[in-house]
């Protein structure tokens, strides 16, 4: 599959271009959260400042995904005219009393995407967390190859600006602070890529922004809510090695979704030690979430789904 278009809204930028340039420049986008933690204390998070501070939860996700879709269509809208599109969005899994209103988010996205495209767009929201992405990618690839659709809008959306979510993170002592270094910096953001096959891209005159050479799922037992040893890292090791072996290439630049929780750092260290034969100089490691806030990951699963 190829990536033919992108759109994003993050704490770093209002578009994918702004986010990319500021990210490469090493910019940090952290500020005081618009709500207190579960103990009534202020905390730091990566916040999209242009979204009204009073919006919470699902309503805030809708405010994040809309502009990201608009950016993607602003570049490719005319070329996509008459094509058959589907939309898949990864959203946060339930956490404590928090859960995404899937029906409401699907309705908002269907209206937005259909209006931008000029015809109906089928929409599916998967409240599985970002760790469910590989399974959805497999479904997307199958539908494209079977000709069910011409292209797929594949995205993710996350926000920690919700009282129930913050209360759950506080209760499990997972928010980073001067007194708790083993925690995450909450954040939010939304992004979409347009996925299609090379032949379809040529027929529609779409650009090739990137090529997905391989992807692979993994299943982990270590989670924030248990004491399973993170250095075991079986799922992430299998996922990384299988994907890189399938791509038949070495990599010297790795980008990941690590936050500042130690169990995830330990897991990643174990994978790097086991994958040196697949890596090459300069072995640059980038973790954007450490500079713009956590972008969401699986918390509850049995076993957990690895990235």
């Amino acid at each position: 599959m190829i990536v033919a278009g992108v759109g994003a809204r993050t704490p770093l930028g209002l578009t994918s271009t702004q986010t990319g340039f500021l990210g490469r420049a090493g910019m940090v986008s952290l500020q005081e959260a618009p709500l207190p933690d579960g103990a009534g204390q202020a905390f730091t998070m990566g916040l999209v400042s242009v979204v009204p501070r009073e919006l919470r939860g699902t309503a805030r996700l809708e405010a994040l995904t809309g502009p990201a879709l608009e950016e993607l269509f602003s570049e490719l809208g005319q070329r996509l005219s008459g094509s058959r599109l589907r939309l898949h969005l990864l959203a946060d899994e339930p956490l404590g009393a928090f859960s995404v209103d899937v029906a409401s988010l699907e309705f908002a996205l269907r209206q937005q995407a259909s209006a931008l495209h000029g015809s109906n767009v089928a929409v599916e929201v998967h409240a599985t967390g970002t760790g469910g992405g590989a399974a959805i990618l497999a479904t997307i690839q199958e539908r494209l190859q079977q000709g069910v659709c011409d292209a797929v809008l594949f995205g993710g959306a996350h926000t920690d600006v919700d009282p129930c979510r913050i209360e759950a993170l506080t209760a499990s002592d997972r928010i980073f602070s001067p007194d708790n270094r083993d925690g995450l910096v909450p954040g939010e953001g939304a992004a979409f890529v347009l996925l299609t096959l090379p032949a379809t891209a040529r027929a529609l005159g779409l650009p090739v922004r990137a090529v997905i050479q391989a992807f692979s799922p993994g299943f982990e037992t270590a989670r924030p809510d248990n004491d399973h040893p993170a250095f075991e890292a079986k799922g992430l090791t299998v996922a990384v090695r299988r994907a890189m072996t399938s791509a038949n290439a070495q990599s010297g630049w790795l980008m990941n979704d690590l936050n500042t929780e130690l169990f995830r750092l330990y897991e990643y260290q174990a994978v790097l030690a086991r994958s040196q034969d697949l890596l090459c100089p300069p072995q640059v490691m980038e973790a954007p979430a450490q500079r713009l806030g956590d972008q969401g990951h699986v918390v509850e699963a049995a076993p957990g789904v690895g990235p």
Side-chain angles (χ1 to χ4, degrees), residues 29-139:
S29 180
L30 303 176
Q31 57 184 290
E32 184 175 320
L35 72 171
D37 66 16
Q41 302 297 313
F43 64 94
T44 299
M45 76 171 295
L47 186 71
V48 179
S49 300
V50 296
V51 177
R53 297 174 72 88
E54 65 272 12
L55 288 183
R56 302 285 188 264
T58 304
R60 197 167 183 92
L61 292 177
E62 295 173 9
L64 291 167
T65 55
L69 275 177
E70 289 176 5
E71 181 196 351
L72 191 153
F73 273 94
S74 67
E75 178 186 357
L76 301 175
Q78 294 294 327
R79 303 182 192 184
L80 294 173
S81 179
S83 61
R84 298 166 300 155
L85 296 184
R86 298 185 69 93
L87 187 153
H88 288 270
L89 179 80
L90 291 168
D92 294 311
E93 71 288 348
L95 176 64
F98 167 85
S99 62
V100 173
D101 186 339
V102 170
S104 175
L105 188 54
E106 282 185 347
F107 179 77
L109 285 169
R110 190 177 299 112
Q111 282 195 315
Q112 180 92 18
S114 298
L116 290 168
H117 184 45
S119 59
N120 291 333
V121 176
V123 173
E124 293 182 56
V125 172
H126 311 271
T128 59
T130 53
I136 306 306
L137 272 175
T139 298

Side-chain angles (χ1 to χ4, degrees), residues 240-249 278:
V240 169
R241 291 196 61 85
R242 184 183 294 159
M244 294 185 71
T245 302
S246 299
N248 194 29
L278 299 174

Side-chain angles (χ1 to χ4, degrees), residues 54-286:
E54 65 272 12
L55 288 183
R56 302 285 188 264
T58 304
R60 197 167 183 92
L61 292 177
E62 295 173 9
L64 291 167
T65 55
L69 275 177
E70 289 176 5
E71 181 196 351
L72 191 153
F73 273 94
S74 67
E75 178 186 357
L76 301 175
Q78 294 294 327
R79 303 182 192 184
L80 294 173
S81 179
S83 61
R84 298 166 300 155
L85 296 184
R86 298 185 69 93
L87 187 153
H88 288 270
L89 179 80
L90 291 168
D92 294 311
E93 71 288 348
L95 176 64
F98 167 85
S99 62
V100 173
D101 186 339
V102 170
S104 175
L105 188 54
E106 282 185 347
F107 179 77
L109 285 169
R110 190 177 299 112
Q111 282 195 315
Q112 180 92 18
S114 298
L116 290 168
H117 184 45
S119 59
N120 291 333
V121 176
V123 173
E124 293 182 56
V125 172
H126 311 271
T128 59
T130 53
I136 306 306
L137 272 175
T139 298
I140 291 172
Q141 185 178 49
E142 181 180 3
R143 287 176 172 172
L144 289 172
Q145 291 174 339
Q146 292 177 347
V148 175
C149 53
D150 298 314
V152 174
L153 298 157
F154 181 45
H158 166 78
T159 183
D160 285 311
V161 184
D162 183 90
C164 292
R165 188 170 179 85
I166 292 300
E167 183 178 350
L169 291 173
T170 303
S172 55
D173 200 27
R174 292 184 60 204
I175 296 181
F176 182 90
S177 71
D179 299 322
N180 181 33
R181 300 301 178 90
D182 183 11
L184 59 87
V185 177
E188 62 181 359
F192 286 93
V193 293
L194 182 72
L195 300 178
T196 189
L197 300 179
T200 306
R202 289 193 295 270
L204 297 177
L206 297 173
V208 178
R209 302 288 294 270
V211 178
I212 298 179
Q213 294 184 326
F215 58 88
S216 175
F219 299 88
E220 287 294 353
T221 49
R223 304 189 306 270
D225 58 349
N226 67 25
D227 294 322
H228 198 88
F231 279 112
E232 191 173 88
K234 291 181 179 179
L236 190 56
T237 300
V238 168
V240 169
R241 291 196 61 85
R242 184 183 294 159
M244 294 185 71
T245 302
S246 299
N248 194 29
Q250 289 186 310
S251 177
W253 180 42
L254 303 177
M255 185 172 290
N256 58 61
D257 66 345
L258 289 181
N259 54 41
T260 48
E261 292 182 290
L262 290 180
F263 88 97
R264 303 196 69 219
L265 296 172
Y266 294 156
E267 180 185 60
Y268 193 63
Q269 288 172 8
V271 173
L272 290 180
R274 299 167 187 164
S275 304
Q276 286 300 303
D277 58 314
L278 299 174
L279 304 178
C280 61
Q283 290 203 27
V284 175
M285 316 291 174
E286 291 198 35

